[in-house]
Amino acid sequence: MTNRFLAATGARYPIIQAPMGWIARSQLAHAVCAAGGLGIIETSSGETEACKAEILKMQALTDAPFGVNLPIRFLKDDAMLHFICGSGVKFVTTSAGSPAKFVGPLKQAGITVYHAVPTVDTAAKCVAAGIDGLIVEGSEGGGFKNPEEVSTLVLLQAIRRITDIPLIAAGGICDGKGMAAAFALGAEGVQMGTRFVSCAESPVHHNYKQAIIDAKETGTLVLNQKSTPCIRALKTQRTAAIHEAGLMPADTFARLQELYFGGDMEAAVGLAGQTAGLIDGIKTAKEIIDETVAEFHAIAARMGAMATAGDFG
Ligand SMILES: Cc1cc2nc3c(=O)[nH]c(=O)nc-3n(C[C@H](O)[C@H](O)[C@H](O)COP(=O)(O)O)c2cc1C
């Protein structure tokens, strides 16, 4: 199978590992790339020099394509943009803000640019700005969210109605079933966050991975819906209290690293999506990608056979 996303990026499979502050670094991204997916290096941590070093490390570790995420609102200045333009990186996802100013310089540097969107209106603005593709972010997903929740199921179809450019589905996908559903709705790729946080090569503490595995489908909460940022995170004593209060205290992320890497699940908020209710074990990136691709193909074959037979069996 090939499609526009694979042709533009050179990845073997249309499976992107989501950008995630501090987590999406070379240890995880390299494992995903080695398995044929497209690893992404984050820059949302704001640790500019560390992220530059991670990009150079990826280039030393692998010839496989990988990407970088630029979270527009969280960039202190244009330093990372300029670095990426001269780095040889060929695929960038932008998020959190308007990509209008970034599309020109990135494309001039020969880089394919996809932007993450939570609504049809933002998708239309990105298309007008000349974006190459869109990451369609439904409300099921983990991390920063649009307070007006729209599921991936609806958002993909609504955005497909207004544009023909490549769409990547993000939010609620952790296996080949979710991937097949996304492709049926017009996606040419999927992006997984929660599934890769909890994979063997993810650098986070075992307690965070185990909390994802232990969570039910109701095990996450949307927090801070009346302010910004609105986020989806694992249900804990801390997040239940924030949910009850309605607003998130300013210091909520102050001890994020103690949660991510120290395993104290009450130190901050553990970002995760509703797929936490589907994920039931720690797997390697290769197992995740191989199983997702095999399951996707089995479902596509079953659907094709149904169409050939003209029945609903
Ligand atoms: C722990 C975590 C951190 C995230 N951090 C970022 C980020 O820094 N930048 C970004 O664009 N998206 C971020 N996201 C959202 C992901 O990019 C992705 O779209 C989302 O996880 C997809 O939904 P899923 O969690 O159901 O797979 C984060 C998600 C998680 C779970």
Side-chain angles (χ1 to χ4, degrees):
M1 180 184 88
T2 190
N3 64 28
R4 292 177 293 177
F5 167 77
L6 294 174
T9 61
R12 195 174 342 140
Y13 302 123
I15 298 174
I16 302 178
Q17 158 253 306
M20 297 176 279
W22 289 276
I23 300 169
R25 295 205 171 174
S26 56
Q27 179 177 315
L28 176 58
H30 179 241
V32 170
C33 290
L38 192 86
I40 300 271
I41 298 292
E42 62 85 20
T43 63
S44 52
S45 59
E47 294 184 343
T48 310
E49 293 313 314
C51 293
K52 284 182 184 172
E54 288 294 302
I55 292 163
L56 297 175
K57 196 168 169 190
M58 281 298 285
Q59 288 171 328
L61 280 171
T62 178
D63 290 332
F66 70 96
V68 176
N69 173 247
L70 293 175
I72 293 162
R73 201 179 307 130
F74 300 104
L75 296 173
K76 287 178 263 199
D77 51 36
D78 286 345
M80 192 52 89
L81 173 67
H82 294 315
F83 175 78
I84 300 293
C85 287
S87 68
V89 166
K90 293 285 174 225
F91 182 70
V92 162
T93 64
T94 50
S95 55
S98 166
K101 195 182 101 179
F102 288 65
V103 172
L106 288 167
K107 287 177 79 161
Q108 254 169 17
I111 298 170
T112 299
V113 195
Y114 284 22
H115 187 74
V117 292
T119 64
V120 173
D121 286 350
T122 48
K125 285 183 191 148
C126 291
V127 172
I131 205 83
D132 294 309
L134 297 168
I135 314 282
V136 175
E137 293 239 356
S139 56
E140 302 96 319
F144 287 28
K145 295 274 80 88
N146 190 291
E148 293 183 299
E149 297 180 52
V150 185
S151 68
T152 304
L153 185 77
V154 169
L155 194 59
L156 263 179
Q157 298 178 71
I159 292 179
R160 186 40 96 213
R161 285 185 182 184
I162 63 138
T163 180
D164 286 330
I165 67 172
L167 304 180
I168 304 298
I173 298 161
C174 65
D175 57 22
K177 295 182 214 46
M179 183 171 166
F183 273 59
L185 300 174
E188 288 178 48
V190 294
Q191 173 168 293
M192 302 188 212
T194 305
R195 177 68 274 193
F196 284 119
V197 181
S198 52
C199 91
E201 296 89 344
S202 162
V204 305
H205 194 278
H206 180 78
N207 290 355
Y208 188 8
K209 299 182 190 183
Q210 194 61 45
I212 290 173
I213 290 163
D214 291 343
K216 295 192 281 193
E217 81 286 3
T218 52
T220 63
L221 290 169
V222 175
L223 306 177
N224 214 29
Q225 239 163 336
K226 294 208 171 92
S227 184
T228 186
C230 173
I231 60 169
R232 184 182 289 283
L234 287 168
K235 217 182 256 181
T236 59
Q237 282 177 19
R238 178 185 277 260
T239 59
I242 297 171
H243 192 253
E244 184 70 23
L247 284 178
M248 193 158 70
D251 64 352
T252 298
F253 290 102
R255 294 168 58 219
L256 190 61
Q257 311 238 19
E258 285 174 47
L259 186 153
Y260 278 4
F261 306 114
D264 178 355
M265 294 307 293
E266 295 293 346
V269 291
L271 302 175
Q274 291 176 333
T275 59
L278 299 174
I279 295 166
D280 54 12
I282 296 173
K283 294 179 177 175
T284 64
K286 183 167 167 45
E287 285 168 337
I288 292 168
I289 290 175
D290 285 350
E291 288 173 17
T292 297
V293 170
E295 193 176 30
F296 170 84
H297 283 139
I299 293 168
R302 186 160 53 79
M303 302 289 255
M306 280 165 68
T308 305
D311 67 16
F312 290 91

